[in-house]
Amino acid sequence: MSGARVLVVEHEDGTGPAQFGERLTDQGLAIDLCRPWAGDTLPRTLDAYHGLLVLGGSMGPYDEDQAPWLPQVRKLLRQAVTWDLPTLGICLGMELLTVACGGEVRHAALPEVGLNDLTIHQAAFTDPLFAPLVDQDSRLRAVQWHWEETATLPEGAVALLTSERCTHQAYRIGTAVWGVQFHPEVLADDIRTWGAADVGPLHALGLEPGAVVAEVEREETRLRTLWGAFAEQWGRIVADGPGPFARQRIPVERLP
């Protein structure tokens, strides 16, 4: 597994790869953390990478005035789909993947914050990333923190998970590109600052930030085990992929 490189795109302070990054590093993958919000320049192409991880953020997928780097992230996501490069978009990352590939994102009628149950579609039982999890546990729970959602999947996308409030919680494009609306990377310490920043929006949903964090704390061990295994499975997919020099080259400028 050593030697595989993953580009990780972080959209704002406090939204890093958290336990996901720790698991990938433990597997021997090299993490190239790009923080465009802090002035880092995104690469023009994914030539040098075995995998792409696009993280969450408080902005929406259309908020280019707030985050002017979003068009380039969408280009990289389209390139990843074209190459079938192992890719994972988390929350905003999934929303950007949806928009980049012709789907639609809208404001959620009922935003999800805190722990939430996920319902498994049949396709997940044979999915390369999700099958090891759903074989072991028919009841998945994950941390949610989103006010946007995918309304229409990209053409050809395979639905994998849903929830009571959000139809599209996870999907796959091709064989190696995934989007998840929930946050498999975070635990209680990671969301504590989110709660402090979102006091008003949480109160509008009838939620207390401290109670949301406490609920995650109570299930911390289970979340760490479940989604840590998910991170490791994605890391294996990255490491076992063909690598950057075996893929067909398509200049990013020619992508739709």
Side-chain angles (χ1 to χ4, degrees):
M1 288 188 180
S2 62
R5 294 184 67 199
V6 176
L7 175 64
V8 179
V9 181
E10 180 185 288
H11 294 285
E12 62 185 336
D13 195 16
T15 62
Q19 75 155 340
F20 219 97
E22 295 169 7
R23 297 296 182 114
L24 297 181
T25 300
D26 289 346
Q27 287 178 295
L29 277 70
I31 302 298
D32 189 349
L33 182 60
C34 184
R35 293 170 163 161
W37 63 270
D40 292 349
T41 300
L42 286 161
R44 291 182 63 254
T45 76
L46 296 167
D47 284 350
Y49 296 100
H50 299 73
L52 172 64
L53 176 61
V54 181
L55 300 169
S58 61
M59 65 287 292
Y62 305 107
D63 291 340
E64 296 172 14
D65 290 343
Q66 180 181 351
W69 58 85
L70 294 184
Q72 178 60 18
V73 177
R74 293 197 296 267
K75 284 185 179 181
L76 293 174
L77 285 164
R78 286 196 295 272
Q79 187 176 59
V81 170
T82 300
W83 288 353
D84 209 24
L85 177 76
T87 296
L88 180 64
I90 294 175
C91 199
L92 172 61
M94 170 174 160
E95 296 159 12
L96 288 166
L97 177 64
T98 297
V99 172
C101 296
E104 180 188 0
V105 171
R106 67 187 174 199
H107 291 294
L110 295 170
E112 293 177 306
V113 177
L115 275 181
N116 186 262
D117 290 331
L118 303 173
T119 301
I120 302 163
H121 287 303
Q122 189 62 37
F125 289 93
T126 56
D127 180 78
L129 180 55
F130 281 94
L133 277 69
V134 298
D135 283 347
Q136 299 172 22
D137 192 342
S138 60
R139 176 177 169 267
L140 299 181
R141 299 201 84 193
V143 176
Q144 306 276 359
W145 208 284
H146 69 98
W147 278 258
E148 311 280 333
E149 65 182 5
T150 292
T152 306
L153 289 177
E155 185 176 355
V158 177
L160 300 170
L161 299 177
T162 186
S163 69
E164 183 177 352
R165 291 188 176 187
C166 180
T167 302
H168 303 299
Q169 281 287 346
Y171 67 81
R172 186 187 72 247
I173 299 177
T175 69
V177 176
W178 289 271
V180 298
Q181 187 63 69
F182 56 93
H183 284 277
E185 81 282 19
V186 298
L187 298 168
D189 283 346
D190 303 304
I191 65 168
R192 191 167 275 109
T193 55
W194 301 2
D198 286 341
V199 171
L202 292 185
H203 283 171
L205 296 176
L207 299 172
E208 288 295 332
V212 173
V213 173
E215 184 182 26
V216 174
E217 280 183 323
R218 287 193 293 271
E219 292 208 28
E220 184 118 323
T221 298
R222 187 176 184 210
L223 293 170
R224 186 185 298 276
T225 300
L226 175 64
W227 299 114
F230 178 81
E232 291 174 0
Q233 178 66 8
W234 189 75
R236 283 188 285 271
I237 291 169
V238 172
D240 293 342
F245 300 106
R247 297 190 298 264
Q248 179 183 0
R249 289 291 177 262
I250 299 177
V252 71
E253 292 84 356
R254 290 172 51 192
L255 297 173

